[in-house]
Amino acid sequence: MAALLDPAGHPADIWATAPLLEELPRYCSPAIGGKESTGAVTAEETYEALLVLHRYGLITYDPRSQHQEVRIHALTARAARETTPGNQQSALAISAAYALLNIWPDLDQIQRDLGAVLRANSDTLRQYAGSHLWQSEARSLVFRAGSSLNDNGLVGPALTHWQTVTDQTEGILGPDHPHTLLAWSNLAVTYSRLSRYETSVELGKRALAGFERVLGSDHPNTLSARANLAATYRNLGRYEEALVLNKGVLADRERVLGPDHPDTLSARANLAVTFGNLDRYEEALLLKKRVLADRERVLGPDHPDTLTTRSNLAVTYNDVGRYDDALRLKKQVLADYELLLGPDHPDTLRAKINLAVTYSDLGRYDEAHRLGQPALVDCERLLGSDHSETLRARAHLAATYDALERHSDALQLGEQALADHERVLGQDHPETLRVRAQLALTYGLLGHHDKALQLRTEVLAGFDHCLGADHSETLRAKANLAATYYVLERHDEALQSGEEALAGLESLLGPDHPDNLRTRANLAATCNALGHHLKALQSWEPVLGGFERNLGSSHPETLRVRTHVAATLYLLGRHDEALQSGEEALVDHERALGPDHPATLQARALLAVICRELGHHAKAAKLEGDPSEPN
């Protein structure tokens, strides 16, 4: 039996499992310890046998070697296998498979060392059991090992595993066997996790059609295949198709499995995520809160699925501009993932990137960089350069470089990110369009406004095509295009595009959402450029209040708006108010950003202009850095 398992060691616990204790009596001597065998073997007797083998040097039995207490030399194992009759070896292999399944924890990503040992033993057993394993339900061991690879984020080995398994199941069991269909379904999931979505859709549809034909539309495997296909549609940005499938899966699971079954909770969680993708934030928020409460009650607060729900809820808080709530939850999620799954698990890396995004939204760009830069390095090392999390980490780091005024670094990384997204996800994928929009911003910050205009025009057309004219992504793209029109002094076009974007965003997100406030701020700047200074001031003031409430008084965007308010008061000839506002803005800039930040220098230059207008020439000279007394 030991010769069929990994020579590096297997858990001693398998010798106390029912599958082995029921199989071993077939190999007992007529008498044990001088008395007749009763036909039953106890766990104590198997451990006594292990000690005998250890004493004779045939195995090593060391209770101190956690999860690998029993080891056997490879040459000894080969000798044992070669002298064991084939029919006995088949029975022993099947019993060993059941024994491994018996001790395999449901959440082996929490017990990573044990999971790695069990996968190694499963691989060894498959190697020596040959087709015997496939002729019984013990083949479930192969599927458990593959699920373990996926659960632990080992997507490269998982792909190799499932490709091998699909070939074996189809050849041995036939194309319509449920286990063959299950192998195809798992292979589709693995391709999706590798961002190979088109291949995943093809395989997922094949598996789903087979399950519906062989097992019926209500079988749990059929419902899982349908849910997996919906997830891949969502990854492709095909949100409406995902919504239809997710609604159907949830209704069917509630009917077949009940409202509290873990699979039903997963279906509810998937539907909530899709609501968020479609800008249906209130529905997403309500459903995610419900799922979180249900999973905490049914699975416990530390279950990986509970942590995923908490993470998804934090994302929705981010979407609706509740950055402080998002920050609190994302910090908790990251700490829990690091403790539960370790620092290198893909879910942990995703949590780091998510937290870095919120730091950026809050204007805490140094913290975003300190978290985002090593997260990208870890993603590239552990997941590969084309993994979806690696692509996301690269795109976010490029955006962070822009926020830190490191525009050359942002350009280099942004161009790489766009090329990678276009190659892996395609030209019109929503993630690709977001990266193209960020690169357009970088071009604009570097003064390449014609390039920025070209990209932003492409982004608007892309979002309009794949998500529709009323989706928030499309409206943001229209607002960004208006900003580029403004820089190019095409003010009438900027005003029209900005007003259209603002009307849509207010309806979707509410008047206080940061994206809505940014759009209103751009419109205010356009009004100033067109000479409509009073109208501009009437926009700047609510924007300033909104940013102070949502982002805080020290956020870079809040500070920028305060400078614009002072400038608009100056343009209206309200110079005393402009002076007070400008002085407050400069103090806040120096405190929050430092005296040499570009935004601080702009605030200082504006205040100098206001001072000269009011005849405060000495103060203006001091602000301008001229120590001489002006005439």
Side-chain angles (χ1 to χ4, degrees), residues 391-403:
L391 297 178
R392 198 161 72 94
R394 192 173 292 128
H396 177 258
L397 185 58
T400 305
Y401 282 145
D402 266 335

Side-chain angles (χ1 to χ4, degrees), residues 66-89:
Q66 190 178 26
H67 308 317
Q68 293 177 298
E69 295 91 344
V70 182
R71 299 190 299 277
I72 184 170
H73 194 281
L75 292 177
T76 307
R78 177 180 177 182
R81 288 192 303 272
E82 290 179 349
T83 55
T84 302
N87 61 331
Q88 288 186 10
Q89 190 160 313

Side-chain angles (χ1 to χ4, degrees), residues 48 99 109 155 226 278 300 373 390 421 497 538 591 595 599 604 631:
E48 289 174 8
Q109 61 266 47
V155 286
R226 196 172 291 135
L278 288 165
Q373 199 276 335
T390 308
H421 275 76
S497 292
Q538 291 169 346
R591 173 174 45 80
R604 188 177 294 122
N631 294 323

Side-chain angles (χ1 to χ4, degrees), residues 216-375:
S217 58
D218 284 346
H219 191 278
N221 285 354
T222 307
L223 298 178
S224 293
R226 196 172 291 135
N228 292 338
L229 183 59
T232 306
Y233 281 148
R234 195 173 66 243
N235 289 330
L236 279 166
R238 295 163 60 174
Y239 302 134
E240 293 291 349
E241 293 168 275
L243 181 67
V244 171
L245 283 179
N246 280 326
K247 283 184 173 179
V249 169
L250 176 57
D252 290 341
R253 281 180 168 169
E254 286 179 331
R255 175 173 51 81
V256 175
L257 302 175
D260 282 348
H261 190 281
D263 289 349
T264 306
L265 300 182
S266 294
R268 201 170 286 130
N270 290 336
L271 179 58
V273 172
T274 306
F275 279 146
N277 294 142
L278 288 165
D279 286 342
R280 296 166 62 171
Y281 295 123
E282 290 301 324
E283 292 167 281
L285 201 58
L286 288 172
L287 202 53
K288 286 179 181 182
K289 286 181 177 179
R290 176 183 172 185
V291 173
L292 180 58
D294 289 342
R295 278 181 160 165
E296 287 178 335
R297 173 174 52 84
V298 174
L299 304 176
D302 296 329
H303 191 283
D305 289 348
T306 307
L307 299 187
T308 299
T309 307
R310 206 170 283 135
S311 177
N312 289 338
L313 178 59
V315 169
T316 301
Y317 282 144
N318 231 89
D319 289 338
V320 299
R322 293 172 57 178
Y323 298 137
D324 288 331
D325 290 329
L327 181 68
R328 171 185 53 80
L329 212 52
K330 287 181 179 182
K331 281 183 174 180
Q332 178 186 348
V333 167
L334 176 57
D336 290 342
Y337 271 136
E338 287 179 327
L339 181 64
L340 194 68
L341 303 179
D344 291 343
H345 193 280
D347 289 347
T348 307
L349 297 177
R350 183 182 304 114
K352 287 181 181 178
I353 300 165
N354 287 342
L355 180 56
V357 168
T358 300
Y359 278 138
S360 288
D361 289 331
L362 285 166
R364 296 163 62 172
Y365 303 123
D366 288 329
E367 291 167 278
H369 179 260
R370 281 197 296 270
L371 201 60
Q373 199 276 335

